[in-house]
Amino acid sequence: MRQRKRILFVVNPISGGKKKTAFNKQVLEVLDLEKFDPTFKITNHANHAYELGKLAIQEGYDAVVAVGGDGTINELGSAIIGTNMPLGIIPEGSGNGLALYLGIPLNESAAIRRINRFETVEVDTGEINGRYFFNIAGLGFDASVSDHFATENIRGPVGYLRSVLNVLSDFRPSTYQLLIDGKTYNKEAFMISVANSPQYGNNAYIAPHASITDGILDVCIVQKFPLYLFPKMLFHLFTKSADQSDYVEILPGKSITIIRDNKGPVHVDGEPVEMGEELNIKINHKSLKIIC
């Protein structure tokens, strides 16, 4: 009899503001149990998914599956990057940017059926000051929003919108020096996003032509703009036309240094991380396997 593949499902119980009490039962109903032997573990503190991913390598699992949002994917992916272990995704977050880009269904049962196929793709990963990111890292306005959102008691799109409005009221652009593949740029920017994939989540595209397999990061510089144009900027995001805005410049790069005036939050796949004035960013070509 062929041995079943051992899969560890790492469940974030609070991601996206969704209850997941019936998730295990759903997996047992939909997963092909003749091919797969599932185990379930629930995260209960920050970085727990990373710890469980490292443990899964030691215990010889054949795959790990992130049941959560981009933050859970980041922790679990960071644990297994550079190994041959594939990462599955059951999207349960507020934005689900990476899952949407990869075409992984937001419906639980449909996403579990993707695991049954067990088809993988090798994708690029980004790295900023030693921290991995798989979707987007950024500084400026969106990092401040992520920092505020982390303290919100309302999760999901409503909580995120509240954070956007709260930060927008008194946010000021900053000056940055960028070194991209040997070329220097000095910019005043509302925010800078370094994109491995095109969208933040919820189909908001900051880098419409980014690809997670091309070995290149898209450095998206959103310049200072009049606040009355904020609705138009949002329109560009949700119509995949950010690159057509007069206030957005997108520069490709593999090796990137960004120097800012002060330390502060950087968002890494939506999670705020405090970092210093100098940010060193690089691409790791085809360094992670994802089940899709």
Side-chain angles (χ1 to χ4, degrees):
M1 183 179 175
R2 186 178 60 183
Q3 190 173 12
R4 295 187 298 167
K5 291 185 184 296
R6 296 175 65 224
I7 297 183
L8 176 63
F9 288 84
V10 176
V11 183
N12 182 338
I14 62 170
S15 62
K18 304 172 187 174
K19 291 185 178 179
K20 303 174 186 70
T21 50
F23 177 75
N24 295 16
K25 182 174 180 288
Q26 184 91 329
V27 169
L28 295 175
E29 290 174 354
V30 178
L31 192 69
D32 187 343
L33 298 180
E34 291 187 1
K35 292 167 61 177
F36 302 106
D37 176 16
T39 300
F40 305 92
K41 293 186 180 179
I42 295 174
T43 61
N44 55 35
H45 59 263
N47 219 38
H48 196 188
Y50 178 85
E51 295 165 6
L52 292 174
K54 287 296 186 187
L55 195 60
I57 297 169
Q58 295 174 19
E59 294 179 348
Y61 279 88
D62 295 294
V64 291
V65 178
V67 185
D70 287 330
T72 309
I73 293 167
N74 180 281
E75 285 191 25
L76 205 49
S78 296
I80 66 169
I81 190 170
T83 72
N84 206 38
M85 181 181 287
L87 172 70
I89 298 171
I90 307 294
E92 299 278 10
S94 301
N96 303 307
L98 190 59
L100 286 167
Y101 172 73
L102 291 167
I104 296 171
L106 299 186
N107 175 272
E108 271 186 4
S109 293
I112 295 164
R113 282 194 286 272
R114 287 291 182 96
I115 306 293
N116 283 336
R117 300 190 325 192
F118 213 75
E119 295 175 357
T120 63
V121 60
E122 285 186 303
V123 304
D124 303 335
T125 61
E127 193 173 338
I128 178 166
N129 285 11
R131 293 284 297 257
Y132 293 111
F133 64 95
F134 308 105
N135 198 41
I136 295 173
L139 56 157
F141 178 73
D142 57 350
S144 295
V145 170
S146 292
D147 198 36
H148 188 281
F149 184 56
T151 66
E152 264 287 354
N153 55 11
I154 299 176
R155 305 305 293 172
V158 173
Y160 194 80
L161 181 60
R162 278 197 359 174
S163 292
V164 167
L165 295 175
N166 276 316
V167 172
L168 186 63
S169 60
D170 59 1
F171 186 80
R172 297 291 178 268
S174 299
T175 55
Y176 301 93
Q177 184 181 76
L178 299 93
L179 184 66
I180 303 175
D181 293 345
K183 292 184 179 180
T184 302
Y185 307 85
N186 292 291
K187 302 286 184 182
E188 183 179 27
F190 184 72
M191 67 183 197
I192 298 176
S193 295
V194 183
N196 187 36
S197 86
Q199 65 160 295
Y200 292 115
N202 295 311
N203 294 310
Y205 287 77
I206 185 63
H209 304 293
S211 165
I212 60 172
T213 58
D214 63 358
I216 294 171
L217 293 167
D218 284 23
V219 183
C220 309
I221 303 163
V222 180
Q223 299 162 9
K224 182 180 178 181
F225 61 87
L227 280 184
Y228 70 83
L229 289 178
F230 193 73
K232 186 176 181 181
M233 300 298 285
L234 288 177
F235 172 80
H236 281 302
L237 278 179
F238 288 100
T239 56
K240 299 186 184 181
S241 60
D243 56 329
Q244 296 173 30
S245 168
D246 293 336
Y247 296 97
V248 177
E249 183 178 10
I250 299 178
L251 302 170
K254 296 182 179 181
S255 177
I256 302 145
T257 297
I258 302 175
I259 299 172
R260 54 185 176 171
D261 294 334
N262 301 294
K263 65 180 182 180
V266 172
H267 86 78
V268 181
D269 287 339
E271 300 296 317
V273 180
E274 191 76 12
M275 291 189 181
E277 292 92 345
E278 183 171 317
L279 307 169
N280 295 296
I281 307 161
K282 65 177 183 177
I283 188 82
N284 302 304
H285 190 40
K286 294 189 175 180
S287 51
L288 179 69
K289 283 185 177 179
I290 294 184
I291 302 168
C292 61

